């Protein structure tokens, strides 16, 4: 799939997969009318921290990059879990970055105006817990002056902080943007309101999407704090009582809502920590549909999609979307995925170009086949 390489090109295309497994290729503008009156949209309003810090390992004088990756205590900007790389920057692919110098508890790191100490390693040479030295206000000022957004090689030009903030960004608690929110704009929100679609927000500290190390990537997503306002929990309770659908904008919203969900699909208001890993065996209680970016098999985000649709549908999607020219990664195109109400043997992808045929997944043969529709 083509990687979106510029933040100033908003999502233009939408792949809509309905509850029967049928797929349509639409312009993103179709989001204005694709949802039905009574749907409740829930989005993540977290703003993104400048979580990439370059500096030196004091003991060796060797260059490092620190990517903040998790809160030790939510709201405390002096202590973080962090991924540490050796020399280089975002222009080198993450998986090609050299490791940092050997890190041990007590090591000091000089990160521009900030100084930090390694409290301990977290089971991997690149994953550590850091403590910034100094007052809270000084640490926040140092992050603002010296930090930059976490960035990957598919976007060659350095990103500014505003490039990674969605239009509804509020509290700066995310380490990477809740990127499905880039599909939202004020015109779309106004259209939803006119169409009778509800809108609410929560705040979830979206984590990093890749560490460059397969073993460490398998530990993603890390535990992530969230906050669900009382008004959002009340809106979800009303939707559930009235038999209406909750549509999550992004995988972080799914993770937060399902972590806080009761058996009847209502959610608890307040602060929490999402420790859940959502995948093919997960029974979704709160969320009925998901708007998300384009993900690839093996990624933690893709595994979450398996809670919405059978493997037969999802395993065929990446190739189908690549053939259609969809753009991936955080500034790419989007997909609306409804929670499945069908078995894997019934799943199909219907071509919008050739409506007389359908691409059908046959579990017994473990492959897709084209059949004529009658």
């Amino acid at each position: 799939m083509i990687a979106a390489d510029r933040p100033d090109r908003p999502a233009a295309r939408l792949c809509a997969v309905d509850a029967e497994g049928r797929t349509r290729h639409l312009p993103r503008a179709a989001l204005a009318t694709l949802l039905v009156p009574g749907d409740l949209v829930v989005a993540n309003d977290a703003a993104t921290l400048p979580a990439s810090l370059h500096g030196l390992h004091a003991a060796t004088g060797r260059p490092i990059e620190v990517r903040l990756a998790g809160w030790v205590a939510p709201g405390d900007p002096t202590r973080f879990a962090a991924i540490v790389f050796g020399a280089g920057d975002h222009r080198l692919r993450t998986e090609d970055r050299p490791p940092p110098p050997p890190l041990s508890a007590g090591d000091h790191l000089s990160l521009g105006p900030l100084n930090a100490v390694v409290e301990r390693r977290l089971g991997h040479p690149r994953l550590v817990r850091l403590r910034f030295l100094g007052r809270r206000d000084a640490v926040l000022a140092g992050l603002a002056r010296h930090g930059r957004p976490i960035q990957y090689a598919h976007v060659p030009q350095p990103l500014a902080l505003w490039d990674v903030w969605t239009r509804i960004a509020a509290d700066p608690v995310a380490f990477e943007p809740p990127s499905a929110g880039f599909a939202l704009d004020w015109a779309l929100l106004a259209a939803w309101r006119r169409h009778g679609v509800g809108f609410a927000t929560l705040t979830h500290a979206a984590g990093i999407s890749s560490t460059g190390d397969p073993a460490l990537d398998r530990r993603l997503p890390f535990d992530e704090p969230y906050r669900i306002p009382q008004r959002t929990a009340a809106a979800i309770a009303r939707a559930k009582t009235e038999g209406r659908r909750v549509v999550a904008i992004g995988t972080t919203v799914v993770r937060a809502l399902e972590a806080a969900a009761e058996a009847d699909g209502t959610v608890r208001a307040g602060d929490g920590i999402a420790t859940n890993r959502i995948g093919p065996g997960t029974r979704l209680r709160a969320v009925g549909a998901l708007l998300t970016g384009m993900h690839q098999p093996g990624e933690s985000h893709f595994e979450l999609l398996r809670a919405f649709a059978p493997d037969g549908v999802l395993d065929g999607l990446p190739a189908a979307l690549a053939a259609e020219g969809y753009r991936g990664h955080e500034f790419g195109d989007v997909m609306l995925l409804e929670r499945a109400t069908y078995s894997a043997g019934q799943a199909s992808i219907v071509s919008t170009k050739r409506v007389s045929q359908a691409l059908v997944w046959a579990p017994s043969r473990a492959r897709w086949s084209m059949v004529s529709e009658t």
Side-chain angles (χ1 to χ4, degrees):
M1 194 174 300
I2 301 168
D5 59 1
R6 284 173 50 179
D8 59 345
R9 293 177 179 169
R13 304 188 64 195
L14 167 68
C15 172
V17 184
D18 70 15
E20 300 300 323
R22 295 178 296 241
T23 295
R24 290 181 288 166
H25 303 298
L26 304 166
R28 186 193 68 88
L31 279 173
T33 56
L34 196 59
L35 303 187
V36 301
D39 280 346
L40 175 66
V41 172
V42 182
N44 185 359
D45 66 4
T48 308
L49 290 163
S52 169
L53 302 161
H54 285 263
L56 297 174
H57 179 235
T60 63
R62 291 168 57 184
I64 57 168
E65 180 192 357
V66 168
R67 295 184 181 181
L68 306 181
W71 295 90
V72 173
D76 177 4
T78 64
R79 300 173 73 216
F80 294 93
I83 306 293
V84 186
F85 299 93
D89 60 22
H90 74 274
R91 291 169 292 187
L92 186 64
R93 294 191 316 160
T94 305
E95 54 267 39
D96 297 332
R97 292 287 299 274
L103 299 172
S104 302
D107 282 4
H108 283 254
L109 309 179
S110 176
L111 305 168
L114 296 171
N115 291 293
V117 62
V118 175
E119 290 192 326
R120 63 187 179 94
R121 288 181 17 177
L122 298 175
H124 190 280
R126 288 190 175 186
L127 182 62
V128 300
R129 192 169 73 188
L130 289 182
R131 177 169 54 87
F132 287 104
L133 306 178
R135 303 187 315 274
R136 172 191 172 100
D137 58 345
V139 172
L140 289 171
L143 288 175
R145 289 199 304 270
H146 184 63
R148 298 196 63 84
I150 291 174
Q151 187 171 348
Y152 298 93
H154 61 271
V155 180
Q157 297 301 317
L159 295 173
L161 190 57
W162 53 79
D163 289 326
V164 295
W165 282 27
T166 67
R167 287 174 174 82
I168 62 169
D171 291 339
V173 298
F175 301 101
E176 290 187 11
S179 55
F182 289 138
L184 305 182
D185 56 35
W186 302 118
L188 176 60
L189 297 184
W192 278 342
R193 176 174 289 187
R194 291 192 301 270
H195 196 52
V197 174
F199 184 75
T201 61
L202 55 78
T203 306
H204 182 107
I208 62 173
S209 56
S210 176
T211 69
D213 181 276
L216 197 48
D217 280 349
R218 286 193 290 270
R219 297 172 61 172
L220 299 177
F222 297 144
D223 295 350
E224 295 165 347
Y226 63 83
R227 173 170 294 169
I228 299 175
Q230 180 60 49
R231 62 184 177 275
T232 298
I236 293 170
R238 288 194 300 271
K240 292 296 181 180
T241 298
E242 297 168 6
R244 296 186 282 116
R245 182 175 63 169
V246 173
V247 180
I249 306 297
T251 58
T252 57
V253 174
V254 178
R255 198 173 183 218
L257 292 183
E258 294 300 327
E262 305 287 359
D264 62 357
T266 59
V267 300
R268 300 179 298 276
D271 295 348
I273 304 290
T275 61
N276 49 341
R277 300 291 294 271
I278 297 176
T282 303
R283 177 179 174 270
L284 298 171
R285 294 174 291 181
V287 180
L290 166 65
L291 182 73
T292 186
M294 302 295 163
H295 307 299
Q296 297 294 318
E299 298 173 349
S300 61
H301 292 347
F302 191 88
E303 290 304 302
L304 184 144
L305 303 186
R306 295 186 187 278
F308 286 84
D311 288 352
V313 170
L314 292 177
D315 290 344
L317 269 180
L321 297 178
E324 291 285 341
Y326 279 82
R327 297 178 303 139
H329 294 284
E330 70 270 39
F331 302 115
D333 297 314
V334 291
M335 174 170 59
L336 181 65
L337 183 62
E338 297 183 359
R339 192 169 66 196
T341 58
Y342 51 89
S343 69
Q346 297 170 317
S348 65
I349 291 182
V350 178
S351 168
T352 57
K353 294 181 178 179
R354 301 180 63 187
V355 296
S356 62
Q357 291 186 316
L359 189 62
V360 176
W361 176 253
S364 62
R365 290 178 290 173
R367 65 180 179 87
W368 293 89
S369 59
M370 188 69 72
V371 299
S372 296
E373 293 185 318
T374 58

